[in-house]
Amino acid sequence: MPVHQRKAIRRTWLSVGQGHQVYVAQYGNPEGIPILYLHGGPGAGCAVEDLALFDLSVYQVILLDQRGAGRSRPRGELQHNTLQHLLGDIETVRNWLNISRWMLAGGSFGATLALIYAAYYPSRVISQVLWGLFIPSPQGIAALYGTAGAASVFKKEYQQFVARSKPQVSLAELFADYRTGLTHHSEDVRRDFTMRWQTWEMTLAYPSQMLNRGNVQFSQSLASIELYYVANNYFGAFEKLSQKLPLIQCQTYILQGEFDWVCPADELHRFLQGRQNQLLTMTEIKGGYHALADAKMAKAVINAIREMAKQ
């Protein structure tokens, strides 16, 4: 994408209450179809590179860094940072932009957030493309961080992930160990816990891809927010998904990688079984991983977003 096409229409920090300011940036066609991009993590933040997913001549793209994430202020803040706050912030941004209805695009936890938002505010969402959808059920959490699931496939990497914890530690104890490590007075200890947390997730998102160790402060913020959400069971996200899914009124396209170890396709199949909404379409991407660094997943997502604009 040419650099000049990445020039923002508007960038600002929007006050959303409780001392939080979320970073909002608009790109593309000011008269185009408004589409909100929801990043994963939670806590990852958006990047200009995410614009490659969109045809900027067609879409008005809104990048939103969620509370505590990316360039939002204060970075890494956990107080007044829950699922309900994130949902409210999305509505605050929509009202501030004076957008009556918009499309959504999001991956991983961003896909989870989009699905719940579409259920809570069905009249506000035209359609949405989601990928690597994370189901925050006890089984989904155990598959990601427990001794079964991904740990049974990536045994060596999992041992490195839990290296500072006791053998056969429970998830609650593991998360408590990480909370202690991520808030430790020693910078070296904080860095070690941060990198082991993110190395594990990177291993599952795109096996054999090397972790970018460039911005440790940002990485620590991401790990801290992710830990905070999972230790609090994502503030009832699974229950909200289970109860509200039938309320979604927009066409929803879900793309899941065959080898997505962060958000296994089997877990999504189990969740959708018996909860079918005719507006939800799931496509398994053969050979696809979780991260959009995987060419198969990136191509599938770009094509789906392009096709959504035609409908």
Side-chain angles (χ1 to χ4, degrees):
M1 180 186 299
V3 174
H4 72 274
Q5 289 190 18
R6 292 179 174 177
K7 185 177 180 181
I9 300 169
R10 175 167 51 174
R11 294 182 296 173
T12 193
W13 282 267
L14 180 65
S15 294
V16 289
Q18 300 88 36
H20 282 273
Q21 293 180 316
V22 295
Y23 178 79
V24 184
Q26 293 169 272
Y27 293 86
N29 182 352
E31 304 301 322
I33 304 168
I35 185 166
L36 174 68
Y37 174 70
L38 293 171
H39 64 74
C46 299
V48 175
E49 289 74 18
D50 297 325
L51 295 173
L53 298 173
F54 308 96
D55 183 342
L56 296 184
S57 68
V58 172
Y59 282 111
Q60 176 195 160
V61 181
I62 299 113
L63 302 183
L64 166 64
D65 286 356
Q66 296 153 28
R67 289 192 179 208
R71 284 154 289 191
S72 290
R73 303 167 177 166
R75 174 184 286 182
E77 180 59 63
L78 303 182
Q79 284 197 339
H80 306 292
N81 190 340
T82 68
L83 177 67
Q84 205 63 44
H85 285 110
L86 301 188
L87 293 170
D89 292 348
I90 294 172
E91 269 297 271
T92 298
V93 170
R94 185 189 63 77
N95 284 313
W96 176 70
L97 292 172
N98 197 28
I99 293 173
S100 59
R101 300 176 73 223
W102 51 8
M103 293 181 176
L104 304 180
S108 196
F109 176 78
T112 311
L113 184 59
L115 203 60
I116 296 173
Y117 174 84
Y120 269 77
Y121 302 96
S123 64
R124 300 305 184 189
V125 185
I126 303 167
S127 55
Q128 55 187 344
V129 171
L130 313 176
W131 59 93
L133 173 61
F134 179 58
I135 302 300
S137 63
Q139 294 80 10
I141 293 171
L144 179 54
Y145 296 112
T147 55
S152 64
V153 178
F154 301 95
K155 296 179 181 179
K156 178 181 177 182
E157 291 83 357
Y158 188 73
Q159 286 305 310
Q160 293 172 345
F161 174 58
V162 300
R164 285 179 176 260
S165 298
K166 300 174 184 177
Q168 303 301 320
V169 68
S170 69
L171 278 181
E173 292 170 318
L174 178 64
F175 295 152
D177 287 346
Y178 262 94
R179 174 56 59 207
T180 299
L182 291 174
T183 57
H184 199 275
H185 63 84
S186 167
E187 182 180 347
D188 289 340
V189 172
R190 295 196 304 272
R191 182 184 292 110
D192 175 65
F193 273 89
T194 294
M195 302 318 294
R196 285 192 298 108
W197 180 276
Q198 295 209 293
T199 298
W200 171 242
E201 292 200 342
M202 194 67 194
T203 296
L204 306 188
Y206 195 24
S208 77
Q209 176 97 333
M210 292 300 294
L211 177 67
N212 182 353
R213 296 171 178 252
N215 191 336
V216 175
Q217 182 181 4
F218 173 77
S219 298
Q220 185 178 326
S221 172
L222 167 59
S224 181
I225 293 175
E226 285 187 330
L227 172 62
Y228 172 67
Y229 268 76
V230 69
N232 285 282
N233 292 311
Y234 297 91
F235 300 96
F238 179 64
E239 290 74 19
K240 289 178 172 61
L241 273 178
S242 301
Q243 296 166 8
K244 301 288 187 178
L245 196 69
L247 302 181
I248 292 176
Q249 297 176 8
C250 67
Q251 197 68 51
T252 299
Y253 306 94
I254 303 172
L255 308 174
Q256 210 78 0
E258 180 185 10
F259 301 120
D260 188 334
W261 295 103
V262 178
C263 311
D266 287 348
E267 192 61 39
L268 179 56
H269 279 299
R270 278 192 290 271
F271 173 74
L272 292 177
Q273 191 173 18
R275 294 190 178 92
Q276 288 293 347
N277 180 321
Q278 293 183 349
L279 294 171
L280 270 64
T281 302
M282 177 189 168
T283 302
E284 189 171 311
I285 307 303
K286 296 300 180 183
Y289 292 102
H290 180 75
L292 291 183
D294 173 37
K296 294 186 184 69
M297 284 303 298
K299 182 179 179 181
V301 169
I302 290 170
N303 287 341
I305 292 175
R306 182 183 298 122
E307 289 301 311
M308 183 168 63
K310 300 176 182 177
Q311 298 170 5

